[in-house]
Amino acid sequence: MTSVVAQAHFIFGLRTGVSNNLCFFDEQTVVFPCGNSCVCYNSVQRCQRFIPGSEKSQGMRALAISANRRYLAVSECGEKATITVFDLQHEQGRKRKVLTAGDMPVEEFVCMAFSPDSKYLIGQTGGPEWMLIFWLWEKQKVLATVKTGNSNNSVTQVSFNPYNNMQLCVSGTGVFKLFRYSEGALKQSSFPKVESINFLCHTWMTEERVIAGTDTGRLLVFESGDLRREINMTSKAVQEQSDSNSLYRQVEMKKIIDTDVDGGPNVLRITAILSYSKGFACSLGSGTVCLFEKNDEDSYRRSKEIRIPPDPYSNELPPAECQDIDTMCISPAEETLAISTDRGQLYSFSLSSLEIHKEEHIHFEFLSQPFHSKSITGLSVCIRKPLVATSSLDHSVRIWNYDTKVLELYKEFQEEAYSVALHPTGLFILVGFSDKLRLMNLLIDDIRTFKEFTVRGCRECAFSHGGHMFAAVNGNVIHIYSVTYFENILNLKGHNGKIRGIEWSLDDSRLVSCGMDGAVYEWNTQTGKRESESVLKSCSYTDVAFSSDCKTILAVGTDLTLKEIQDCQVLREVPADEVAHTAVAVSHSGRVVFTGTSSGTIRAIKYPLPIQKEWIMYQAHCGPITKMVITFDDQFLFTVSEDGCLLMWKVIDKDGRGLKSSRQIIHTEEILVTKSDLEEKTQNMLELKMRLEELQMENEYQLRLKDMSYNEKMKELSDKFTQQIESLKTTQQIMKTEMEKQEREHQKSSAELTVKNSKEMKDLEVSYSQKLIVEHERYQDLQQKNLRMQEDYEKQLKDAEERKVQSLQELMQRYEARLQEKTQLLGQCQEEAQQQSREFKEIIKQVEEDEERKIHDIQIKYEKKLHTEKEINTNLKGETGLMTQKFYSLQRQIDDRCTDINKLKQERQRLLGLIRSLESDIEDLKRQISGHEKTNQDKDKTISGLKKKNQELEKLKFVLDFQLNELKKQTEPQQDDIAEKKDRIHQLEEELMQIDQSNTQLKLAVSDLRLKLRTRDKEMHKEMQKVKDLETHLQRLKSDLHNCVGFIQEPRKLKDSVQTIYARYVPQTDGAEKSSVDEDIQRAFGRHRDHLERMVTSLKTRLAKSAEEHEKVYVKIMKENVSLITEINELRKELRLVRTQVKDYKAQLATFKKSNKSRPNSENGPKKETKHEDAD
C-alpha cells in the first residue's frame, strides 16, 4: 500500500436536508453534518474533529444528541436503514452501537430523539410504514413499535418528555399524538382532532404542556395532549386566553382548526421551536427568530426579535435574510443560540448580551464562515499566498485562507460562475461566466473586474505556472491569451466534444486536455501543434493531469479506470470497481495520486501505479467530486463537490509527519489597493480626525462646565451636612442625658426587684421541700406493690406452661389414632378403583365396535348424497356462467348511467356556483351604489366646511404677516447684541492664550529647578551611603575588639589579633586631612541646599498666586460664556418657533388651495359614476 496518507483537516460547508442538523456538544463546540461526516467544530480554537459516516450508506437523514451531551445518534439511508450511536467524549468519536429495525424493511429513519436519562432512543421510520421504534439502545433491544402515520399524514418530529422517560410526542401533517410506554407497548394517551393542521415542529415547556408550530405561522398550546389555546403572534405582549367553560372551549378549538385550513401562500411558517429556562424561541417566517419570555400568569410575552443580517455583497433576488431556518439549538449554559438554514449557513447569537441590546431588531452573526449553498464548479490555488479560490452555481466566487481557515473575500454576481483560476502571485483571478470570461483584481476588500474576454460558457480555465499566459475553454476549443498584452496568442482546435479538463506542464511549454469525445491531447503552447494523442471513443474523460516529472499523463473517465498515457499509448491501467472516477490530482513529490469518485469518496493510489486494486479509500463528500487540487508544497489536498462543501486534507506519511518538499515557498502579504480607495480612506481619516478634535474640544468644555456645577453642588452639600452634623450632635447630647436618667431609674427598680425575688424564692423552697417529702413516701409504697404483682404473675405463667404441655400430649395421641384409620380406608378405596377401571375398559371396547358399524353405514349414505350434489353443481355452474354474462352487461349499463349522473351533478354545481357568484356581485354593486351616495353627501358637507375654513385662514394670514414684520423688527437689535458679545468672547480668548503662555514659562522654570534638586538628592544619597559604610566598618571593628578581649590571658594571640585589626582598619594615608576636607564639603553642600530650598519655596508661592489669578480669570470668562450661550439658545428657540408657525400657515394655505382646485373635479366625478350605472 502507499506510504502517503490523507487526513481530513478542515471543512467549509453544511449538509442540508438532514433533520436536526446542528447541536451543541459544549459551550464552545457544535456538531453538524458536512459531506459524508459529522464535524465537531470548536468556534474559539477554530479546529475540527471528524466522525466519518459508514461506507455503504446512501446519505445521512437525521441527527440526535443525548441530554448529557455525550452520545450522538446518526441515521443513514440504505437498503436497510441504520442508526449509529457515537461516544463524543472519545477523541475519535468511538462507535458504540449500530441499531436497526429488525426484520422490518426500513429504508430511512426520518427523525430521532434520546430520552432524558440517555438510556432509551426512539426512531421514526419513513413511508410507507411510518413506524415508531423504541430501543433500549445500549443492549440493541427493540422494546416496542407503533404505527404513527400514513401516506397522507407524514411525521416530521418525535421527542421525549424531558420530565418523564416513558412519555413521547409525535407531530406532523395532521398528526399530533402523545404515547406512553407501559406493559411492553406504546399506548396512545391523547386523541386531539388535528387532521387539517400541518405541524412543522414542537417543544415541551412543562411536564404536561407542549407548544407546536404550524405551516401557517401559528403557535398552538396543548395541555396533557388536548388543544387548549393559541398564542397570539401579532402583538408584542402575547396573551393567552383560556376559559373554564367546556362548551366555549370546544367552539374555540373548532375555530382554530378551521382557520388553519385557510392559510394563504404568504403566511409566515414556524419551522423550528426551542424551549429554554426563561421561555422559548421560535422561527417566524424567513430569517427571523422570536424570543418569548414567561410571565407570572402562565402566559408568554414576545420580548425580542433576532434576524439574519442582509448580505452587502449579495446580488440575488431572494436576499440572505429570506432563508428558512431548519434547526435551532442552545448551548448547555444557555449563553449562545445557534441556527442552521436551508441554504447551508450557520449563524449564532450571544443571549448573554440581550440585556445590552435595547433595539427591537437584533442580528445574528456567522458561526464560522459564510458557505456555498449550491454545487461548487471551480477550484484553484496559487504559489505566493495560502489562498484557495472556489466558484459555484450560487453566483458567488470565494477566496479562502487555508492557514487561518478564514474566508478572506467573496462576491456574488448576476450570472453563474462555471470556472475559476488564481494567478500564481495570488493578486489576480480569472472567472468564467455564461456570457464572458473576466480577469479580476483581488483588492483588500473587493473582487473588481479590469478586463473582459468574449469567451462564452467557459467551463475550464487555468493560468500558466509562470503567470504570463492563461488557457480558457470555449466548447471544444482552447484559447490561450497573454496576461501582459491580453491578446489571443493561440486557438487549439481538435476535440470533437466538450473539453472537461486542462493542465499546464511545469515549464509551461506543453498543455494537456481531455474531453467527452474520449480524446486526450498534448499540445505545444508555442507552436499550437499536437505532440501526442490518445483516443478511446467508448470513454468520455472527466479530468486529466501531468505526472510529477511531466513525462506521462494521468486521465480518468466513465470507463471506471485510471489510465497512465505516454507517447500516444496507455502504459498502465488501474482496474476499477463499481464507482467511476471524476477527478484526479498528482502530488509534486510523485509518490501518490489522489482520485475523486462519483460517490464522493477519495482514493490514495501509490505511484508508479499498481496493476491490482490497491488504494486507501476515505469518506469525504455526499455528492460527486467536481475538482481536486494539491498545494505546491505538497502539504494540503483540496476537494470540492456538488454538495457545496470545500474539504481540506493534510497530506502526511504513515508516521504522521508532513511530506518534505524540495521547493521552499515563502508566502507574501502584499495586497492590491486602488489609488481612489486609498485617497477615499485618507480623506475619511482626516475627516474623522477633525471630528475627533472637535468632539474633544466639546467634551473638554462640557467637562469644565460640569466641574463648575459639581463644585457648587459639593459646597451646598457640605454646608447642609455640617448643619445636619451639628443638629445631630445636639440631639446626641440630649439623648445621653436621658439615657443616664433612665439608667439610674433602672438600677433603683432592679434593686427593689431583687429583694422581692429573694423573698419569694425562700417561700417557694420551703413549700416545695414539704411536697417532695410527701411524694417520696408515696413512691416507696408503689414500689412495694409492684414487687408483689411481679411475684403473682410469675406463678401464673408457670401454671399455664404445665397445662400446655399436658394438652399437647393428649392431642398427639388422638391424631395418631385417626391417621391409622384413614390409611386403612385409603387401601380399600384403591382396590375399588382398580376394579372400576377394568370394568370401564371393557365398556369402551364394546362402544367402539358399535360406533364403527354406525360410521360405516353413514359413510355409504353420504357418498350417495355427494354424487347427486356433484351432478346438481355442474348444472348450476352452467347457469351461473350465463348469469355472470348478464350481470357484467348490466353493470356496464349502470356505470354509464353513473357517469352521466356525475356529469349532470358537476354541471349543476358549476351553475349553482355561478348563481352564487352572480348574487354576490349584485350585492356588492348595491353596496357600492349606496356607498357612492353617502360619499356624495359627505363631499358636499366637506365643501361647505372648507369654504368657511378658507375665509378664516385668509384672516389668519393677514394677522400672521403683521406679526412676522414685528418679529423681524425685534430680532434686528438682538442680532447686533450677539455680534458685540461674540467680539467680547474673542477678546477674552486672547487673554486666556496670554495667561496660558505665562503658565508654560513658569512650568519650564519649575522643571529646571526640579532637575537641579534631583542632582542634589543623588549627591546626598551618595554621602548617606558613605555614612552607612562607615557605620558597618565600626560594627565590624567592635566585633573584632570583642573577640580580641577574649585573648587577654594569652599575650601572643592578643598581640597578633591587635596587629591584624590595625592592618585591617588603619589606612596608609593621614585620616585627619580627609576628615577636614569632608567637613568643608558638607558645609558648602548645606549652604547650597538651603539656598535652593529658599528658591523652591519662593517659586511655589509665585506659582500658587499665578494659578489663583488664572482660575479667577477663567471662572469670570466661563460665567460670561454661559450667560451668552443661554441668551443665544433662547433667541434660536424663538426663531425656530416663528419659522414653524410660518411653515404651518403656509401648509394650511396650500391645502386650502388644493381643496379649491379639487372641488370642481369632485363635483364632476359622481355624475360620471351615475352615468356608468345607468349604462349597466
Side-chain angles (χ1 to χ4, degrees):
M1 296 301 288
T2 181
S3 60
V4 178
V5 181
Q7 184 181 6
H9 185 60
F10 207 86
I11 194 162
F12 299 98
L14 172 69
R15 184 169 180 174
T16 55
V18 178
S19 176
N20 192 26
N21 62 354
L22 181 64
C23 44
F24 272 96
F25 171 53
D26 56 29
E27 281 298 315
Q28 300 169 355
T29 310
V30 290
V31 182
F32 58 89
C34 190
N36 202 29
S37 306
C38 283
V39 180
C40 298
Y41 173 65
N42 189 312
S43 57
V44 176
Q45 297 175 359
R46 282 188 180 173
C47 61
Q48 290 181 349
R49 184 160 57 95
F50 291 83
I51 302 168
S54 57
E55 292 180 7
K56 294 182 180 179
S57 76
Q58 295 174 7
M60 291 180 199
R61 191 67 182 82
L63 295 183
I65 196 162
S66 60
N68 59 7
R69 313 275 175 179
R70 182 174 178 180
Y71 303 111
L72 178 73
V74 182
S75 81
E76 295 175 310
C77 307
E79 293 178 2
K80 195 169 186 181
T82 58
I83 295 174
T84 310
V85 181
F86 295 96
D87 188 353
L88 291 175
Q89 289 184 357
H90 195 267
E91 285 183 4
Q92 297 175 351
R94 186 164 56 90
K95 193 184 286 187
R96 289 293 298 265
K97 299 291 177 187
V98 179
L99 309 174
T100 60
D103 298 329
M104 280 191 287
V106 175
E107 292 182 359
E108 63 174 356
F109 287 98
V110 177
C111 46
M112 304 172 294
F114 276 97
S115 62
D117 60 356
S118 307
K119 287 182 180 178
Y120 304 103
L121 180 72
I122 52 171
Q124 176 65 54
T125 67
E129 291 86 7
W130 296 105
M131 296 293 288
L132 183 68
I133 302 170
F134 189 80
W135 284 281
L136 181 65
W137 67 267
E138 285 186 344
K139 294 183 179 179
Q140 295 177 312
K141 184 180 179 182
V142 177
L143 298 177
T145 58
V146 67
K147 190 175 177 68
T148 54
N150 52 43
S151 57
N152 296 322
N153 301 108
S154 59
V155 176
T156 54
Q157 187 182 350
V158 294
S159 66
F160 271 97
N161 186 339
Y163 308 96
N164 188 354
N165 274 345
M166 299 293 113
Q167 194 173 15
L168 325 170
C169 181
V170 178
S171 67
T173 53
V175 177
F176 189 88
K177 298 176 181 178
L178 292 181
F179 292 95
R180 192 176 288 277
Y181 178 73
S182 62
E183 298 175 359
L186 287 168
K187 296 174 182 177
Q188 191 171 346
S189 59
S190 67
F191 300 89
K193 293 180 180 179
V194 290
E195 289 79 9
S196 60
I197 303 173
N198 183 8
F199 293 102
L200 298 179
C201 54
H202 70 262
T203 186
W204 291 86
M205 297 303 296
T206 61
E207 194 171 354
E208 294 183 349
R209 184 181 298 164
V210 182
I211 296 178
T214 69
D215 63 342
T216 55
R218 301 168 67 223
L219 286 171
L220 304 179
V221 182
F222 291 83
E223 300 248 347
S224 60
D226 296 325
L227 181 58
R228 293 294 170 92
R229 55 187 176 272
E230 180 183 354
I231 295 176
N232 186 12
M233 293 291 287
T234 54
S235 63
K236 287 283 175 75
V238 178
Q239 295 175 352
E240 299 176 9
Q241 296 177 353
S242 59
D243 286 319
S244 57
N245 192 354
S246 61
L247 289 167
Y248 178 76
R249 191 175 289 158
Q250 285 174 6
V251 171
E252 286 293 313
M253 291 310 106
K254 281 183 181 178
K255 283 180 185 176
I256 289 167
I257 292 160
D258 293 337
T259 51
D260 206 77
V261 176
D262 302 327
N266 297 321
V267 174
L268 303 172
R269 298 164 73 238
I270 296 171
T271 53
I273 190 167
L274 176 73
S275 62
Y276 65 107
S277 60
K278 291 182 180 178
F280 68 92
C282 73
S283 66
L284 183 62
S286 298
T288 307
V289 173
C290 292
L291 298 179
F292 290 83
E293 289 183 359
K294 192 175 181 181
N295 290 340
D296 297 332
E297 298 175 354
D298 218 18
S299 61
Y300 298 96
R301 180 178 62 85
R302 184 168 163 182
S303 60
K304 293 284 181 184
E305 199 172 277
I306 313 167
R307 291 184 178 177
I308 292 171
D311 191 355
Y313 301 103
S314 177
N315 295 319
E316 287 190 59
L317 289 171
E321 59 265 29
C322 292
Q323 303 177 66
D324 283 337
I325 294 162
D326 281 346
T327 307
M328 281 196 296
C329 63
I330 198 164
S331 62
E334 296 186 353
E335 285 190 359
T336 53
L337 175 73
I339 61 165
S340 66
T341 67
D342 61 340
R343 287 198 212 165
Q345 304 298 328
L346 295 174
Y347 296 94
S348 68
F349 180 77
S350 176
L351 292 173
S352 57
S353 64
L354 261 178
E355 295 175 0
I356 300 164
H357 293 285
K358 293 181 180 178
E359 304 92 19
E360 287 185 9
H361 303 301
I362 314 160
H363 289 104
F364 282 101
E365 294 175 351
F366 280 105
L367 186 62
S368 60
Q369 305 294 328
F371 304 134
H372 283 293
S373 58
K374 289 184 182 177
S375 172
I376 299 173
T377 54
L379 176 69
S380 180
V381 294
C382 63
I383 301 170
R384 303 300 295 166
K385 289 187 178 185
L387 299 178
V388 185
T390 55
S391 62
S392 172
L393 296 178
D394 61 1
H395 303 260
S396 72
V397 173
R398 295 169 194 255
I399 311 296
W400 314 83
N401 190 318
Y402 58 81
D403 272 358
T404 58
K405 302 175 186 67
V406 171
L407 177 66
E408 291 219 337
L409 279 173
Y410 83 99
K411 192 171 183 179
E412 293 192 5
F413 300 90
Q414 296 292 330
E415 301 86 16
E416 292 178 344
Y418 294 136
S419 59
V420 71
L422 267 175
H423 195 268
T425 58
L427 299 172
F428 312 105
I429 190 168
L430 192 68
V431 185
F433 295 99
S434 57
D435 58 346
K436 286 179 183 177
L437 178 72
R438 292 181 175 88
L439 185 62
M440 306 184 189
N441 283 325
L442 293 179
L443 302 177
I444 190 167
D445 56 356
D446 193 15
I447 302 169
R448 201 171 291 173
T449 307
F450 73 94
K451 183 66 180 173
E452 293 182 346
F453 303 93
T454 56
V455 181
R456 292 179 176 276
C458 179
R459 299 275 177 178
E460 295 291 330
C461 61
F463 277 102
S464 62
H465 290 93
H468 60 290
M469 293 186 289
F470 68 83
V473 173
N474 183 10
N476 56 359
V477 181
I478 302 168
H479 302 285
I480 295 176
Y481 286 86
S482 169
V483 175
T484 51
Y485 301 109
F486 307 123
E487 293 177 355
N488 190 355
I489 301 166
L490 289 170
N491 292 322
L492 308 178
K493 297 178 182 178
H495 283 279
N496 295 323
K498 288 183 179 179
I499 296 166
R500 295 292 300 275
I502 56 170
E503 189 174 346
W504 292 83
S505 63
L506 287 171
D507 58 356
D508 296 333
S509 63
R510 289 175 294 156
L511 181 82
V512 68
S513 64
C514 69
M516 294 179 76
D517 55 353
V520 176
Y521 295 140
E522 189 178 357
W523 309 85
N524 190 317
T525 56
Q526 293 176 357
T527 60
K529 293 180 180 178
R530 269 185 275 180
E531 290 192 353
S532 68
E533 61 181 37
S534 173
V535 181
L536 184 67
K537 290 186 178 179
S538 61
C539 170
S540 64
Y541 288 104
T542 53
D543 201 6
V544 70
F546 273 110
S547 62
S548 59
D549 55 1
C550 294
K551 290 179 180 178
T552 60
I553 299 162
L554 295 158
V556 292
T558 54
D559 62 347
L560 314 181
T561 60
L562 170 64
K563 296 181 181 65
E564 187 175 11
I565 301 163
Q566 187 178 12
D567 298 330
C568 307
Q569 291 182 352
V570 177
L571 273 181
R572 295 181 193 85
E573 192 173 308
V574 178
D577 53 3
E578 297 173 356
V579 184
H581 299 279
T582 55
V584 65
V586 182
S587 69
H588 298 282
S589 63
R591 292 170 65 184
V592 66
V593 176
F594 293 102
T595 63
T597 65
S598 59
S599 65
T601 56
I602 287 170
R603 293 173 181 173
I605 305 165
K606 70 178 182 180
Y607 190 82
L609 297 177
I611 301 164
Q612 299 175 352
K613 296 181 182 179
E614 289 183 11
W615 56 66
I616 299 172
M617 193 162 72
Y618 304 100
Q619 296 294 318
H621 297 274
C622 59
I625 291 169
T626 52
K627 297 283 175 188
M628 57 196 309
V629 175
I630 294 176
T631 56
F632 288 88
D633 55 358
D634 277 348
Q635 294 299 311
F636 296 103
L637 167 72
F638 296 97
T639 60
V640 293
S641 168
E642 288 180 8
D643 62 1
C645 297
L646 168 63
L647 184 51
M648 187 164 81
W649 303 79
K650 205 167 187 178
V651 182
I652 54 172
D653 56 15
K654 284 197 172 179
D655 298 329
R657 292 173 295 183
L659 296 181
K660 291 181 180 178
S661 178
S662 58
R663 303 170 184 173
Q664 288 185 352
I665 294 168
I666 299 164
H667 291 143
T668 59
E669 294 183 354
E670 291 87 6
I671 292 168
L672 289 178
V673 182
T674 60
K675 192 177 179 181
S676 60
D677 290 345
L678 261 176
E679 286 172 355
E680 280 179 13
K681 282 179 181 177
T682 51
Q683 281 179 357
N684 288 330
M685 285 283 283
L686 286 166
E687 286 172 4
L688 288 166
K689 279 180 181 176
M690 291 287 285
R691 180 70 181 148
L692 242 175
E693 287 172 0
E694 287 173 6
L695 286 166
Q696 280 177 351
M697 291 287 284
E698 285 178 8
N699 283 327
E700 283 174 3
Y701 180 67
Q702 286 173 1
L703 281 166
R704 286 169 187 171
L705 286 171
K706 282 179 182 176
D707 287 336
M708 293 285 290
S709 62
Y710 284 133
N711 287 324
E712 287 175 0
K713 284 179 183 177
M714 283 286 283
K715 284 178 182 176
E716 288 174 1
L717 287 166
S718 61
D719 293 336
K720 281 181 184 178
F721 283 124
T722 50
Q723 288 174 2
Q724 286 176 1
I725 288 158
E726 286 173 358
S727 63
L728 285 165
K729 281 179 180 177
T730 52
T731 50
Q732 194 180 4
Q733 286 175 356
I734 294 159
M735 290 288 284
K736 275 183 180 178
T737 53
E738 287 178 358
M739 281 284 287
E740 287 172 358
K741 286 178 183 178
Q742 285 178 0
E743 279 179 0
R744 289 166 192 167
E745 289 173 359
H746 183 69
Q747 285 173 359
K748 287 177 183 178
S749 60
S750 61
E752 290 172 358
L753 284 166
T754 47
V755 172
K756 284 180 183 178
N757 281 324
S758 60
K759 287 178 182 178
E760 287 175 0
M761 283 289 286
K762 286 175 183 178
D763 296 334
L764 285 166
E765 280 176 1
V766 172
S767 62
Y768 279 117
S769 59
Q770 291 174 357
K771 285 178 182 178
L772 273 167
I773 293 159
V774 174
E775 289 295 327
H776 185 69
E777 288 173 355
R778 282 182 187 174
Y779 176 72
Q780 285 177 350
D781 294 335
L782 287 165
Q783 265 188 342
Q784 288 174 0
K785 285 179 182 178
N786 196 6
L787 290 166
R788 288 170 194 166
M789 290 284 283
Q790 278 182 352
E791 288 172 359
D792 293 336
Y793 279 121
E794 283 173 0
K795 286 176 183 177
Q796 287 175 6
L797 279 166
K798 285 177 184 177
D799 295 335
E801 282 176 0
E802 288 173 358
R803 287 171 191 166
K804 268 187 182 179
V805 171
Q806 287 176 3
S807 62
L808 273 168
Q809 286 176 357
E810 288 173 359
L811 284 165
M812 287 282 286
Q813 289 172 1
R814 284 179 192 171
Y815 282 115
E816 282 175 358
R818 284 183 183 177
L819 263 169
Q820 287 174 0
E821 289 175 2
K822 294 286 181 183
T823 48
Q824 289 174 1
L825 282 165
L826 264 170
Q828 290 174 3
C829 288
Q830 282 175 355
E831 288 173 0
E832 287 175 0
Q834 285 174 0
Q835 287 177 359
Q836 284 176 1
S837 64
R838 287 169 194 161
E839 290 173 359
F840 185 67
K841 282 177 183 177
E842 288 175 0
I843 291 160
I844 285 163
K845 282 178 184 178
Q846 290 173 1
V847 169
E848 281 177 353
E849 288 172 359
D850 294 335
E851 289 294 325
E852 282 175 0
R853 286 171 193 163
K854 286 177 183 178
I855 286 159
H856 185 68
D857 295 334
I858 289 159
Q859 193 175 1
I860 292 160
K861 283 179 186 177
Y862 279 110
E863 280 175 357
K864 287 175 183 177
K865 281 182 182 178
L866 254 172
H867 185 67
T868 53
E869 282 177 357
K870 277 179 183 178
E871 289 174 354
I872 294 159
N873 201 4
T874 51
N875 295 325
L876 285 166
K877 277 180 182 177
E879 289 174 2
T880 51
L882 294 166
M883 289 297 285
T884 49
Q885 287 175 359
K886 287 178 183 178
F887 176 73
Y888 284 128
S889 63
L890 287 165
Q891 199 166 6
R892 284 171 194 160
Q893 290 175 2
I894 289 158
D895 290 334
D896 293 336
R897 293 288 169 83
C898 286
T899 52
D900 293 336
I901 288 157
N902 287 326
K903 284 176 183 177
L904 289 165
K905 281 181 180 177
Q906 286 173 358
E907 284 180 4
R908 184 174 173 277
Q909 285 175 355
R910 187 173 59 78
L911 290 165
L912 284 166
L914 277 167
I915 289 156
R916 284 172 190 163
S917 64
L918 288 165
E919 283 174 355
S920 62
D921 290 339
I922 289 157
E923 286 175 0
D924 291 334
L925 287 165
K926 284 177 181 177
R927 285 173 197 158
Q928 284 176 4
I929 289 156
S930 62
H932 284 309
E933 286 173 356
K934 286 177 184 176
T935 50
N936 284 330
Q937 290 171 3
D938 293 333
K939 281 176 181 177
D940 291 331
K941 288 175 184 176
T942 51
I943 286 157
S944 62
L946 286 163
K947 282 178 181 176
K948 289 175 185 176
K949 281 182 182 177
N950 194 2
Q951 291 169 0
E952 289 173 2
L953 285 164
E954 282 175 354
K955 290 174 185 175
L956 277 167
K957 187 185 175 186
F958 179 73
V959 173
L960 286 166
D961 289 329
F962 182 72
Q963 285 178 355
L964 259 172
N965 292 321
E966 283 183 351
L967 285 165
K968 281 177 183 176
K969 288 173 184 176
Q970 286 175 5
T971 50
E972 282 172 0
Q974 286 176 354
Q975 284 176 353
D976 295 331
D977 292 334
I978 289 159
E980 287 174 4
K981 283 172 181 177
K982 279 182 180 177
D983 295 330
R984 177 64 180 155
I985 287 159
H986 284 303
Q987 287 173 5
L988 290 166
E989 282 177 352
E990 286 172 359
E991 287 176 6
L992 260 173
M993 290 289 286
Q994 289 172 1
I995 290 157
D996 286 329
Q997 285 173 2
S998 64
N999 271 334
T1000 51
Q1001 288 172 0
L1002 287 165
K1003 281 176 183 176
L1004 286 166
V1006 168
S1007 61
D1008 292 333
L1009 288 166
R1010 278 176 183 167
L1011 284 167
K1012 287 176 182 178
L1013 265 171
R1014 281 173 192 166
T1015 52
R1016 295 298 177 190
D1017 286 334
K1018 284 177 184 177
E1019 288 173 1
M1020 276 288 289
H1021 282 300
K1022 284 177 185 177
E1023 292 297 327
M1024 291 291 284
Q1025 191 67 37
K1026 283 179 184 178
V1027 170
K1028 284 178 184 176
D1029 293 338
L1030 287 166
E1031 283 175 356
T1032 50
H1033 212 59
L1034 259 171
Q1035 284 175 358
R1036 284 175 189 168
L1037 200 146
K1038 283 176 182 177
S1039 63
D1040 289 338
L1041 282 168
H1042 183 72
N1043 293 328
C1044 189
V1045 168
F1047 301 117
I1048 287 168
Q1049 293 178 358
E1050 297 175 0
R1052 284 182 185 177
K1053 286 182 181 180
L1054 199 146
K1055 186 183 177 183
D1056 294 333
S1057 62
V1058 167
Q1059 284 175 355
T1060 52
I1061 287 161
Y1062 182 80
R1064 191 180 293 171
Y1065 295 108
V1066 178
Q1068 298 291 326
T1069 58
D1070 292 330
E1073 290 175 4
K1074 280 187 181 179
S1075 63
S1076 63
V1077 171
D1078 289 338
E1079 283 173 2
D1080 293 332
I1081 289 160
Q1082 281 177 0
R1083 283 170 192 165
F1085 178 76
R1087 287 169 198 158
H1088 196 65
R1089 187 182 173 189
D1090 293 333
H1091 177 68
L1092 284 169
E1093 280 174 356
R1094 285 170 201 152
M1095 285 284 286
V1096 167
T1097 50
S1098 64
L1099 283 166
K1100 279 181 180 177
T1101 52
R1102 281 181 194 173
L1103 234 172
K1105 284 176 183 176
S1106 65
E1108 283 174 0
E1109 287 172 359
H1110 182 265
E1111 279 179 0
K1112 285 173 184 176
V1113 172
Y1114 184 75
V1115 167
K1116 282 179 185 177
I1117 291 160
M1118 289 299 291
K1119 285 177 180 176
E1120 285 174 0
N1121 272 332
V1122 168
S1123 62
L1124 286 165
I1125 287 158
T1126 50
E1127 283 176 6
I1128 289 158
N1129 287 327
E1130 284 170 0
L1131 289 166
R1132 280 175 181 168
K1133 283 176 184 176
E1134 286 174 4
L1135 270 168
R1136 281 173 193 164
L1137 285 166
V1138 169
R1139 282 171 185 169
T1140 50
Q1141 284 173 2
V1142 169
K1143 283 179 184 177
D1144 291 335
Y1145 291 135
K1146 282 180 181 178
Q1148 285 174 4
L1149 279 167
T1151 52
F1152 178 71
K1153 284 174 184 176
K1154 284 179 185 176
S1155 63
N1156 284 332
K1157 285 177 184 177
S1158 62
R1159 221 174 108 201
N1161 294 326
S1162 62
E1163 286 172 2
N1164 293 328
K1167 289 176 184 177
K1168 288 177 184 178
E1169 287 173 0
T1170 51
K1171 283 177 185 178
H1172 284 297
E1173 286 167 9
D1174 295 333
D1176 292 332

